[in-house]
């Protein structure tokens, strides 16, 4: 089991040169995470890559699979071994390794601006599987630019399949998606939405029908359907609910 857990940290530098005294500054990080957890429906973690555990776990029962925050914090990455399907554990190993290899090649000044996100299942305490969206971004680096602490947010995924791995960087016009078939990252332009498409998404969030959206925007109902079709294509979504979730995760609306 210990060897399996170490695969979550491959190929991270095993010696980050973090002193025990360095941890004295971290209460402010925990306090910030606690405040954020009170204002979001997402589950929040602070991952410590030096000690290979969780520094903080928020009390969100939906994503803790029957465990308490303290139990998850003490279990560390063994928590995932307990609640993630075995075949998807192997996928997580691959994502972690590919993600950190990509990350290590980036200039130090760019690393804090990067985020990786992907989808996988967890098994709830009642045995049901939930597809979750897992988003991770650095908080602190060591002096060499290696990741020390990262903030992880977990929410229900708007998608229907696992994977969907992308790396984004603040203020960049492109992002990188991971191909499991090719075992490589592909650079792609960021998705952009026309103002009319944003209007339709925002009205859809409020629960308006196609007819109601058409009336509010002074356009024909067939035009609404046309824009929705384009939205589904751009966002790789199958319906408006999925499109809203994906657009929200990508901060497009």
């Amino acid at each position: 089991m210990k060897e399996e857990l170490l695969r979550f940290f491959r190929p991270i530098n095993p010696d980050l040169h973090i002193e025990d005294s360095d941890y004295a500054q971290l209460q402010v990080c925990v306090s910030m995470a606690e405040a954020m957890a009170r204002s979001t429906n997402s589950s929040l973690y602070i991952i410590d890559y030096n000690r290979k555990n969780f520094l903080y776990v928020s009390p969100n029962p939906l994503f803790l699979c029957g465990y308490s925050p303290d139990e998850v914090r003490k279990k560390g990455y063994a928590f995932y071994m307990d609640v993630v399907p075995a075949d998807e554990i192997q996928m997580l190993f691959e994502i972690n390794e590919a993600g950190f290899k990509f990350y290590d090649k980036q200039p130090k000044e760019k690393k804090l601006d990067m985020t990786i996100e992907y989808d996988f299942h967890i098994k709830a305490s009642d045995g049901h599987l939930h597809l979750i969206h897992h988003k991770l971004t650095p908080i602190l680096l060591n002096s060499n630019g290696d990741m020390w602490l990262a903030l992880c947010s977990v929410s229900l995924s708007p998608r229907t399949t696992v994977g969907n791995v992308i790396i984004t960087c603040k203020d960049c016009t492109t992002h990188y998606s991971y191909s499991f078939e090719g075992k490589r990252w592909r650079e792609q332009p960021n998705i952009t939405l026309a103002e009319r498409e944003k209007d339709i998404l925002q009205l859809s969030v409020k629960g308006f029908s196609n007819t109601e959206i058409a009336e509010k925007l002074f356009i024909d109902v067939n035009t609404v359907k046309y824009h929705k079709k384009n939205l589904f294509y751009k966002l790789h979504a199958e319906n408006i609910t999925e499109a809203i979730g994906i657009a929200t995760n990508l901060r497009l609306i």
Side-chain angles (χ1 to χ4, degrees):
M1 173 68 80
K2 186 175 180 180
E3 284 299 315
E4 283 282 276
L5 291 178
L6 288 176
R7 291 188 61 187
F8 281 113
F9 303 94
R10 186 187 301 170
I12 302 171
N13 184 351
D15 187 2
L16 298 182
H17 301 290
I18 306 296
E19 303 296 332
D20 288 345
S21 58
D22 293 330
Y23 281 83
Q25 64 178 303
L26 299 186
Q27 184 53 47
V28 66
C29 293
V30 173
S31 296
M32 286 294 294
E34 288 176 337
M36 292 172 61
R38 293 194 296 271
S39 62
T40 179
N41 292 326
S42 298
S43 179
L44 300 180
Y45 296 73
I46 295 179
I47 302 173
D48 182 350
Y49 287 101
N50 179 53
R51 294 180 175 174
K52 299 179 175 59
N53 60 17
F54 300 140
L55 182 67
Y56 170 77
V57 177
S58 69
N60 193 317
L62 177 61
F63 302 105
L64 298 186
C65 305
Y67 295 99
S68 70
D70 281 344
E71 287 172 331
V72 173
R73 188 172 53 81
K74 290 174 183 176
K75 290 175 78 67
Y77 271 73
F79 169 71
Y80 292 117
M81 303 296 287
D82 289 344
V83 304
V84 178
D87 58 330
E88 294 183 34
I89 285 288
Q90 300 304 314
M91 179 189 74
L92 295 184
F93 289 154
E94 182 174 342
I95 292 171
N96 273 271
E97 184 165 0
F100 276 104
K101 283 182 177 178
F102 180 93
Y103 181 81
D104 286 343
K105 294 177 181 177
Q106 307 308 309
K108 182 178 178 180
E109 62 273 11
K110 187 178 179 181
K111 288 181 175 180
L112 284 172
D113 293 336
M114 302 181 73
T115 300
I116 185 170
E117 52 195 283
Y118 44 91
D119 302 297
F120 61 94
H121 288 102
I122 56 174
K123 186 184 295 184
S125 55
D126 61 5
H128 287 91
L129 290 177
H130 296 304
L131 186 64
I132 62 170
H133 186 69
H134 190 272
K135 185 179 293 188
L136 186 148
T137 192
I139 299 174
L140 290 175
L141 310 180
N142 71 358
S143 58
N144 294 323
D146 300 312
M147 194 184 302
W148 171 17
L149 298 182
L151 179 67
C152 174
S153 67
V154 180
S155 58
L156 290 175
S157 174
R159 299 184 183 271
T160 57
T161 59
V162 301
N164 311 305
V165 190
I166 64 170
I167 289 177
T168 55
C169 185
K170 186 179 70 173
D171 298 330
C172 292
T173 58
T174 60
H175 66 276
Y176 294 85
S177 63
Y178 183 69
S179 167
F180 289 98
E181 294 78 15
K183 309 296 182 186
R184 64 187 180 89
W185 294 95
R186 295 173 176 170
E187 186 174 12
Q188 298 178 323
N190 287 341
I191 297 171
T192 57
L193 300 181
E195 287 304 312
R196 183 64 82 199
E197 292 169 340
K198 292 179 182 178
D199 291 339
I200 289 173
L201 277 176
Q202 289 165 350
L203 290 171
S204 297
V205 169
K206 297 177 181 178
F208 291 120
S209 67
N210 287 347
T211 301
E212 291 169 328
I213 292 173
E215 291 174 352
K216 287 187 174 295
L217 297 179
F218 304 103
I219 58 178
D220 186 81
V221 69
N222 288 323
T223 304
V224 175
K225 293 177 181 178
Y226 169 79
H227 285 305
K228 281 191 174 182
K229 184 178 180 181
N230 285 342
L231 280 168
F232 297 162
Y233 175 77
K234 284 184 177 182
L235 298 172
H236 305 286
E238 295 183 2
N239 52 58
I240 192 62
T241 301
E242 190 174 336
I244 290 168
I246 294 169
T248 301
N249 280 336
L250 295 176
R251 297 181 293 278
L252 298 176
I253 55 173

